[in-house]
Amino acid sequence: MMASDDSAALRHDMRENTICVKMLGEFAFSNPGNEWMRWRSNKARSLFGVLLVNKNLVVGKDRLRELLWPEADRSSTSLKVAVHTLRRVLDTHLGADRDYLRVEYRDFGYVMDVGDEVIVDCHEFERHTSAARDAAARGRRAEAVQLYRRAVTLYSGEFFSGERDGWVTEQRHWLRALALSAWEALAEFALEAGELGDAADACRHTLAIDTANEAAFRRMMVIHARRGELQQVEWWYELCAERLREHFELDPDHHTRALLRRVLNREFAVEPRPAQSAAGSPGFGRRHRFVSALNSR
């Protein structure tokens, strides 16, 4: 293990002697002295992850074997060895006399007694996104934006990066979907408020997670349309079409094509900008070709 300095988002809510566990992005956890430790992938670490995701709940031995050693025989001692290794690692770095993050055998399974001293980033991420959705549903926009921003700050990468077990993939896709919905909400809030830079930043983060997200491409087209940047609208449409063909062998849907058609036919509301001569407007001939191609679909 080695020290880590990339967990500033978790430190925001830390109280004295708080233990933080970072499962989004590169796995790491802190000790009471606020020293961050990384732990290379092995089955003990995977067991730690399963028990943390199911914190304070008993996970049966058969279920743990199914999740972590799906091909192993029931007589295998792999689970017992992983439990022993996990306990030894936690005792070494957190102290054997602690009353948190303890692995206990109970009711034919194992449970991770987490305790109030422990903050797990993926749990905090889910808590903030849930609270943000609730605030948005109640019409409390400023509160929702603040909570969504705190949530996406915690989302520093895919869940349990580097792990390929089936349970990790399921959890990873769930948290990824929450991150996409959070960035989508931030983009929509920013567009409603006329904060085009913030909206573009939210779209950029969306596309970093999902490179073929058509809704994010449409928002980028809207942003540049509102700025009167028609060539940029074309460029984002072309990139969208390229990504959809590359990933799914699909063309942009009718909403995206209709948006481009509206923009290039100058049917889209444009925010006031300094006057520009027609001769200085880039891509003038190409826009006519695009409109003709769209109208033929």
Side-chain angles (χ1 to χ4, degrees), residues 179-213:
L180 288 170
S181 67
W183 283 117
E184 176 181 345
L186 287 171
E188 286 298 315
F189 282 133
L191 281 172
E192 290 170 7
E195 299 163 349
L196 301 186
D198 287 345
D201 185 63
C203 292
R204 180 176 63 86
H205 281 91
T206 297
L207 291 169
I209 299 171
D210 179 2
T211 59
N213 189 296

Side-chain angles (χ1 to χ4, degrees), residues 9 29 61 75 247:
F29 68 94
K61 291 193 296 182
S75 62
H247 290 279

Side-chain angles (χ1 to χ4, degrees), residues 26-252:
E26 185 175 9
F27 177 84
F29 68 94
S30 70
N31 62 19
N34 197 24
E35 297 173 328
W36 283 88
M37 308 294 173
R38 291 192 178 98
W39 185 357
R40 287 189 300 179
S41 177
N42 59 30
K43 285 300 181 182
R45 192 185 85 160
S46 297
L47 175 63
F48 188 33
V50 172
L51 295 177
L52 267 181
V53 168
N54 296 278
K55 65 175 184 174
N56 303 324
L57 298 173
V58 176
V59 184
K61 291 193 296 182
D62 287 344
R63 180 59 175 160
L64 288 171
R65 292 189 186 100
E66 177 186 335
L67 292 173
L68 301 176
W69 298 275
E71 306 299 327
D73 186 88
R74 284 178 56 86
S75 62
S76 170
T77 61
S78 297
L79 176 57
K80 185 180 294 187
V81 171
V83 169
H84 175 75
T85 302
L86 174 56
R87 285 171 171 163
R88 180 165 48 82
V89 169
L90 295 176
D91 287 350
T92 298
H93 292 280
L94 301 178
D97 59 346
R98 69 192 184 282
D99 58 0
Y100 53 85
L101 288 183
R102 300 197 66 86
V103 182
E104 305 290 350
Y105 182 75
R106 193 179 304 161
D107 298 330
F108 305 102
Y110 291 94
V111 58
M112 177 73 72
D113 289 327
V114 174
D116 295 335
E117 301 91 337
V118 180
I119 295 177
V120 183
D121 62 351
C122 58
H123 296 158
E124 291 298 292
F125 171 71
E126 290 191 73
R127 184 172 68 86
H128 285 317
T129 55
S130 177
R133 288 195 302 270
D134 181 67
R138 296 172 183 272
R140 301 199 294 263
R141 178 191 181 278
E143 181 183 349
V145 168
Q146 182 183 34
L147 287 164
Y148 275 129
R149 284 176 176 166
R150 292 182 70 178
V152 297
T153 299
L154 287 166
Y155 192 83
S156 57
E158 64 179 16
F159 175 77
F160 235 17
S161 179
E163 297 287 346
R164 291 293 178 265
D165 290 335
W167 75 271
V168 173
T169 302
E170 179 180 344
Q171 188 73 5
R172 184 175 293 158
H173 281 286
W174 164 248
L175 295 170
R176 181 176 180 267
L178 288 183
L180 288 170
S181 67
W183 283 117
E184 176 181 345
L186 287 171
E188 286 298 315
F189 282 133
L191 281 172
E192 290 170 7
E195 299 163 349
L196 301 186
D198 287 345
D201 185 63
C203 292
R204 180 176 63 86
H205 281 91
T206 297
L207 291 169
I209 299 171
D210 179 2
T211 59
N213 189 296
E214 192 167 359
F217 280 114
R218 278 198 297 270
R219 291 189 188 96
M220 288 303 299
M221 292 167 64
V222 168
I223 290 165
H224 289 289
R226 287 173 62 170
R227 291 171 171 168
E229 298 167 347
L230 303 189
Q231 189 176 48
Q232 287 297 313
V233 175
E234 284 184 6
W235 186 86
W236 283 104
Y237 178 87
E238 289 177 331
L239 183 58
C240 175
E242 177 183 318
R243 295 273 177 84
L244 290 171
R245 285 193 297 269
E246 177 184 347
H247 290 279
F248 309 113
E249 297 183 356
L250 293 173
D251 291 323

Side-chain angles (χ1 to χ4, degrees), residues 267-285:
E267 299 170 8
F268 201 93
V270 177
E271 294 182 358
R273 293 176 61 85
Q276 182 180 33
S277 68
S281 180
F284 185 78

